[in-house]
């Protein structure tokens, strides 16, 4: 337990009391400065939608922005990162209790949802290199000097041993194996060395290696922290592997047996381990054989690697893992809506970490607690949201979005009928630069909100203005990946979603160096970026919770779909017709134009009939995203239902949309021309039907 006289040591260790008071005063002055120098905003509406705002909405938004606290965010992060807290371990339970008690102290309605799931932990691992000169070396497998940090491992890797020569597989893509065959390289029975990247998941890289006869895989990440080892999962898909597609509950629910063939399909057939870039370089620099392909050489950060092997160095590889049933804990805090309590805006962040988790994920957890603190302040000042706001703190995300996925599967019907939007923040602060991912109908809302939040890396201008000055638009990406908790909400339940973060590709990802010290020295020394992310996150929630008409613009979706159709046309060869998609987009555009006009024509009257009209209009805006779901799901990945945004099976395509079409293109290369075109055309028709369903939902009437 934490005592008051330990707070100084906890927040800023190894400093004097005088220094602490000085830093505290500095943070308070900085917070005051931020408040007084916030970019000015005008209440003049940019469109009729803002005229519908309840009179106090802008007032409370301004209070929300002015109540930011760098010091509070720093305090939260220090608490959360005192020790490593891998899901299913006692330290993870301590962070659970910390977050729960914080929400309760704010006076928010708080509860915990428990799930018993299959997790994976390392028992033993070793790697020895035997060199051609007769010497041998036990290679390090974790970062030195860290106590309590889990050994570097791949969750759900099968146990196994391998003795063989190493061969460099580059990223482990199919084209990399083709290049090696072209050089006459034999890799069957070898230990593959794979570098992370090129859009390939850990699971896909290991499974592809197994398919090519590789005995085991060592995986490394290039970067600044060469001694850091990137932990991660190699499970295929999301959620508890024992209950694929359904929620099993705490006990007594249906679960697969450990020897079930369905379960084996989720895990790779060969063992794998992560290693540091330093360890990988020791192996790769000692290899002989064919020279590196020029394309590989150009992208390598190390100049000591010149040959692909195999050998002559010999590797002795052993990994032993253990799968355990553990109880994980999702925490929720709820602010009930005063007018539409059955409409939910969900703010989510996962809490578990591979190590200390200062960036991933607890920069986001700190922001979640900060938004909750500021909303509690607004409630004390008389605010209540029109719609219900739910804070979700997920567990076991690092193992494969398990906590959020189990909850989504349990609440699938309620989410389908009541969820307005899901707002995700994972690695809130990784470095400089604002980034966001979103479904396109939320683009305009993001632009509007970022005009009101001060950019932490510029002088007294907003995030939006910084992007404008630097001649780049706000980098809104799309949510086709499965790298955070938005995936089950969007790709399985069809809930419009946003993902927010500052900076990307930080060098201590999933390593023991992802600590509070790294954050205060490199990531965000003054916690100004934390303030910015919290501001954007909270304002998004306030707008979605309080605007009488939901701030969705489906004309942005139309424009994006048209871009996708054109890009696919340039990519495809042969007699594939995209006319079904073209016609469906035209229908979708007509529906989007119609609902945009209806939004502008809505007045401010609050009589019973006007309220009902707004409710019906909002339902159409909310349900349209569900139309992109298909009950059959993606071929080979049936759990993923969204036909516009979803994962690729092998990650090898440059197209990050229409995953069913992309999958058919890559999967059916072994068919004859006619069969391949038929398979691709079928997926084109499926996309067209999904767009038509979304158009029907947007129209709101039966046809």
């Amino acid at each position: 337990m934490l005592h008051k006289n330990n707070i100084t040591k906890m927040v800023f260790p190894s400093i004097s009391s005088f220094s602490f008071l000085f830093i505290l005063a500095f943070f308070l002055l900085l917070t005051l400065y931020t408040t007084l120098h916030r970019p000015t905003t005008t209440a003049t509406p940019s469109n009729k939608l803002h005229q519908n705002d309840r009179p106090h909405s802008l007032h409370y938004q301004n209070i929300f922005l002015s109540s930011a606290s760098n010091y509070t965010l720093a305090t939260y992060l220090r608490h959360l990162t005192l020790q490593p807290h891998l899901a299913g371990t006692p330290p993870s339970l301590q962070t659970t209790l910390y977050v729960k008690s914080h929400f309760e102290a704010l006076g928010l309605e708080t509860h915990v949802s428990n799930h018993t799931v299959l997790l994976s932990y390392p028992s033993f691992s070793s790697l020895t290199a035997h060199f051609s000169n007769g010497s041998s070396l036990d290679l390090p497998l974790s970062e030195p000097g860290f106590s309590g940090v889990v050994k570097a491992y791949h969750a759900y890797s099968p146990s196994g041993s391998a003795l063989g020569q190493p061969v460099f597989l580059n990223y482990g893509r199919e084209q990399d194996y083709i290049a090696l065959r072209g050089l006459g390289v034999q890799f069957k029975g070898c230990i593959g060395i794979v570098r992370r990247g090129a859009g390939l998941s850990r699971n896909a890289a290991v499974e592809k290696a197994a398919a090519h006869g590789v005995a085991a895989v060592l995986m490394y990440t290039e970067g600044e922290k060469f001694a850091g080892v990137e932990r991660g999962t190699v499970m295929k898909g999301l959620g508890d592997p024992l209950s694929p597609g359904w929620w099993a509950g705490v006990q007594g629910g249906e679960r697969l047996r450990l020897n079930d063939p369905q379960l084996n399909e989720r895990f790779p057939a060969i063992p794998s381990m992560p290693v540091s870039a330093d360890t990988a370089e020791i192996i790769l620099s000692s290899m002989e054989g064919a020279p590196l392909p020029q394309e590989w050489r150009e992208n390598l950060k190390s100049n000591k690697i010149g040959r692909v092997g195999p050998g002559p160095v010999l590797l002795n590889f052993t990994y032993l893992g253990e799968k355990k049933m553990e109880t994980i804990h999702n925490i929720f805090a709820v602010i009930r809506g005063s007018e539409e309590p059955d409409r939910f805006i969900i703010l989510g962040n996962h809490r578990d970490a591979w190590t200390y988790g200062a960036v991933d994920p607890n920069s986001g957890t700190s922001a979640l607690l900060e938004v909750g603190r500021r909303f509690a302040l607004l409630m004390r000042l008389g605010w209540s949201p029109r719609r219900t706001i739910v804070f979700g703190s997920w567990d076991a995300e690092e193992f494969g979005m398990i906590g959020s996925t189990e909850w989504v599967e349990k609440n699938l019907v309620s989410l389908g009928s009541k969820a307005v939007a899901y707002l995700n923040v994972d690695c809130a602060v990784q470095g400089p630069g604002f980034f966001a991912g979103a479904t396109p109908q939320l683009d305009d809302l993001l632009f509007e909100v970022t005009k009101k939040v001060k950019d932490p890396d510029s002088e007294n201008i907003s995030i939006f203005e910084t992007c404008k000055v630097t001649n780049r638009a706000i980098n809104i990406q799309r949510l086709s990946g499965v790298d955070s908790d938005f995936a089950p909400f969007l790709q399985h339940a069809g809930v419009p979603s946003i993902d927010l973060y500052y900076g990307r590709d930080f060098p201590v990802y999933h390593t023991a160096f992802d600590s509070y010290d790294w954050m205060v020295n490199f990531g965000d020394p003054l916690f100004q970026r934390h303030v910015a992310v919290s501001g954007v996150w909270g304002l998004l929630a306030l707008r979605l919770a309080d605007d009488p008409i939901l701030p969705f613009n489906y004309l942005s979706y139309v424009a994006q779909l048209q871009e996708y159709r054109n890009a696919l046309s340039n990519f495809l060869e042969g007699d594939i017709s995209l006319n079904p998609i073209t016609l469906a987009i035209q229908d979708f555009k007509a529906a989007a134009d119609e609902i945009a006009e209806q939004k502008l024509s809505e007045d401010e009257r609050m009589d019973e009939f006007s309220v009902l009209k707004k409710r019906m209009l909002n339902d159409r805006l909310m349900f349209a995203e569900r139309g992109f779901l298909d009950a059959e799901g993606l071929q080979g990945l049936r759990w993923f239902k969204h036909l516009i945004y979803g994962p690729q099976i092998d990650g090898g395509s440059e197209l990050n949309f229409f995953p069913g079409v992309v999958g058919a293109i890559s999967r059916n290369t072994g068919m004859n021309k006619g069969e391949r075109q038929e398979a691709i055309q079928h997926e084109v028709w499926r996309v067209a039907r999904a767009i038509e369903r979304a158009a029907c939902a947007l129209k709101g009437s039966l046809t």
Side-chain angles (χ1 to χ4, degrees):
M1 295 296 291
L2 181 69
H3 298 285
K4 291 182 179 179
N5 60 0
N6 286 332
I7 291 179
T8 300
K9 296 178 181 179
M10 175 200 69
V11 180
F12 295 100
S14 304
I15 60 175
S16 67
S17 297
F18 175 79
S19 297
F20 173 73
L21 292 173
F22 176 80
I23 293 173
L24 174 58
F26 174 77
F27 266 122
L28 293 174
L29 288 172
L30 189 62
T31 300
L32 178 61
Y33 177 87
T34 301
T35 301
L36 295 176
H37 293 78
R38 190 169 308 285
T40 57
T41 59
T42 175
T44 303
S46 58
N47 55 48
K48 191 68 175 285
L49 175 61
H50 286 122
Q51 292 178 1
N52 285 331
D53 284 350
R54 290 190 288 179
H56 61 278
S57 293
L58 286 175
H59 171 66
Y60 285 121
Q61 289 173 27
N62 290 332
I63 293 175
F64 173 83
L65 289 174
S66 66
S67 60
S69 171
N70 315 59
Y71 173 73
T72 303
L73 282 157
T75 303
Y76 292 151
L77 188 63
R78 186 57 179 153
H79 268 291
L80 291 162
T81 58
L82 286 173
Q83 54 189 335
H85 44 284
L86 184 63
T89 66
S92 181
L93 182 59
Q94 293 302 310
T95 63
T96 301
L97 296 175
Y98 176 75
V99 171
K100 178 176 179 289
S101 63
H102 176 78
F103 282 139
E104 290 173 337
L106 293 174
L108 302 181
E109 177 186 329
T110 305
H111 68 277
V112 178
S113 176
N114 297 322
H115 306 263
T116 301
V117 300
L118 185 70
L119 301 182
S120 165
Y121 304 95
S123 299
F124 175 80
S125 58
S126 67
L127 181 64
T128 304
H130 300 276
F131 299 101
S132 56
N133 61 6
S135 64
S136 63
L137 178 66
D138 290 332
L139 296 170
L141 294 175
S142 290
E143 304 88 347
F146 290 92
S147 61
V149 175
V150 69
K151 295 178 182 178
Y153 78 113
H154 283 158
Y156 303 109
S157 168
S159 299
S161 297
L163 180 65
Q165 293 181 326
V167 62
F168 184 42
L169 303 175
N170 198 26
Y171 296 113
R173 304 165 297 183
E174 189 61 36
Q175 66 203 65
D176 296 324
Y177 289 98
I178 293 172
L180 289 172
R181 284 199 188 97
L183 295 171
V185 175
Q186 298 294 321
F187 36 75
K188 188 172 183 179
C190 291
I191 295 176
I193 313 294
V194 173
R195 58 171 168 157
R196 290 275 287 130
L200 214 62
S201 69
R202 298 180 193 88
N203 170 270
V206 178
E207 284 198 332
K208 199 169 285 291
H212 285 283
V214 174
V217 170
L218 296 173
M219 198 173 294
Y220 77 99
T221 304
E222 296 177 302
E224 297 171 21
K225 283 286 184 182
F226 294 121
V229 187
E230 182 188 305
R231 296 145 180 84
T233 182
V234 290
M235 180 178 70
K236 181 179 181 180
L238 306 184
D240 179 14
L242 295 184
S243 57
W246 70 86
W247 173 70
V250 176
Q251 57 184 1
E254 180 186 9
R255 289 181 171 86
L256 301 179
R257 302 184 309 276
L258 289 177
N259 61 352
D260 192 292
Q262 290 186 64
L263 190 63
N264 294 333
E265 291 176 3
R266 302 284 297 273
F267 308 144
I270 60 173
S272 65
M273 288 193 297
V275 295
S276 68
D278 280 345
T279 295
E281 188 173 272
I282 291 172
I283 300 168
L284 294 170
S285 62
S286 68
M287 285 164 46
E288 299 177 4
L292 282 174
Q294 185 60 33
E295 181 188 351
W296 299 10
R297 189 186 304 274
E298 291 172 356
N299 294 326
L300 277 173
K301 294 185 177 180
S302 172
N303 58 9
K304 296 181 180 180
I305 305 170
R307 304 278 174 170
V308 299
V313 62
L314 191 68
L315 296 180
N316 191 347
F317 168 115
T318 299
Y319 171 74
L320 297 177
E322 181 182 13
K323 297 181 179 69
K324 294 181 180 180
M325 298 300 296
E326 296 287 353
T327 299
I328 62 172
H329 317 278
N330 294 330
I331 309 166
F332 300 95
V334 181
I335 302 174
R336 298 286 174 187
S338 58
E339 298 176 37
E340 297 182 73
D342 62 337
R343 293 292 180 263
F344 305 133
I345 290 84
I346 304 165
L347 289 73
N349 157 267
H350 78 92
R351 193 179 61 255
D352 63 297
W354 287 112
T355 63
Y356 297 96
V359 175
D360 182 9
N362 298 134
S363 59
T365 313
S366 301
L368 186 76
L369 299 180
E370 169 71 357
V371 174
R373 180 189 68 82
R374 290 196 247 172
F375 281 4
L377 171 63
L378 298 186
M379 292 171 68
R380 292 196 294 273
L381 296 175
W383 168 77
S384 63
R386 172 187 293 271
R387 304 178 186 92
T388 295
I389 295 173
V390 178
F391 297 92
S393 175
W394 314 116
D395 204 352
E397 186 269 358
E398 298 293 8
F399 288 83
M401 275 63 80
I402 291 180
S404 59
T405 297
E406 294 305 298
W407 189 78
V408 166
E409 290 173 344
K410 179 182 180 182
N411 295 279
L412 190 59
V413 173
S414 291
L415 289 171
S417 59
K418 300 176 182 178
V420 172
Y422 175 69
L423 310 178
N424 188 70
V425 173
D426 189 335
C427 306
V429 179
Q430 308 175 41
F434 177 77
F435 295 89
T439 45
Q441 74 273 52
L442 292 165
D443 287 358
D444 285 0
L445 177 60
L446 266 169
F447 293 144
E448 292 171 14
V449 164
T450 53
K451 291 176 182 178
K452 295 187 175 185
V453 178
K454 181 184 180 300
D455 180 61
D457 300 314
S458 304
E459 183 65 29
N460 198 33
I461 61 175
S462 70
I463 295 171
F464 185 88
E465 290 168 323
T466 296
C467 296
K468 188 176 180 181
V469 167
T470 55
N471 295 317
R472 71 171 182 90
I474 289 178
N475 192 343
I476 301 181
Q477 302 168 3
R478 298 307 173 207
L479 302 176
S480 288
V482 289
D483 46 1
S484 194
D485 291 297
F486 60 78
F489 285 91
L490 174 62
Q491 298 167 12
H492 189 69
V495 178
S497 298
I498 289 178
D499 187 40
L500 305 171
Y501 50 103
Y502 246 88
R504 60 182 178 184
D505 300 328
F506 65 106
V508 297
Y509 175 68
H510 286 189
T511 74
F513 299 104
D514 183 10
S515 65
Y516 184 83
D517 287 343
W518 186 88
M519 182 62 75
V520 298
N521 285 305
F522 303 104
D524 192 14
L526 300 180
F527 284 79
Q528 289 286 69
R529 293 167 185 156
H530 283 75
V531 168
V533 172
S534 303
V536 173
W537 202 5
L539 280 189
L540 288 170
L542 287 173
R543 287 289 307 278
L544 289 164
D546 280 341
D547 280 15
I549 298 176
L550 292 175
F552 289 1
N553 180 4
Y554 277 95
L555 291 174
S556 297
Y557 226 130
V558 171
Q560 189 71 86
L561 289 172
Q562 289 171 336
E563 287 184 22
Y564 293 160
R565 186 262 173 222
N566 294 337
L568 184 60
S569 177
N570 294 332
F571 187 83
L572 284 174
E573 299 177 357
D575 298 324
I576 306 299
S577 171
L578 296 182
N579 196 50
I581 292 179
T582 302
L583 294 176
I585 293 174
Q586 290 174 0
D587 195 28
F588 188 65
K589 182 180 185 303
D593 285 332
E594 177 187 336
I595 204 164
E597 288 296 323
Q598 291 179 7
K599 286 168 63 178
L600 291 173
S601 66
E602 283 296 324
D603 55 37
E604 300 179 41
R605 289 181 298 177
M606 296 301 292
D607 59 89
E608 186 174 345
F609 180 69
S610 296
V611 169
L612 181 60
K613 281 181 63 181
K614 290 183 176 68
R615 171 83 167 195
M616 293 168 63
L617 184 62
N618 284 334
D619 282 353
R620 291 157 60 191
L621 292 165
M622 184 176 73
F623 292 139
E625 188 73 46
R626 319 286 200 262
F628 297 123
L629 301 178
D630 188 283
E632 293 181 8
L634 302 178
Q635 188 170 340
L637 296 167
R638 291 197 59 186
W639 186 89
F640 296 93
K641 308 296 185 182
H642 207 286
L643 296 190
I644 311 300
Y645 299 115
Q648 301 175 26
I649 289 181
D650 61 6
S653 174
E654 61 190 66
L655 304 181
N656 61 354
F657 52 85
F658 299 165
V661 177
V662 173
I665 294 170
S666 62
R667 183 174 55 248
N668 299 313
T669 53
M671 297 180 176
N672 64 46
K673 183 179 179 181
E675 292 172 334
R676 185 167 182 264
Q677 288 184 349
E678 185 178 338
I680 296 171
Q681 190 68 62
H682 172 66
E683 292 296 336
V684 167
W685 275 109
R686 290 182 71 202
V687 170
R689 289 192 288 269
I691 297 172
E692 286 284 1
R693 285 194 297 271
C696 288
L698 208 52
K699 293 173 186 175
S701 58
L702 299 176
T703 58

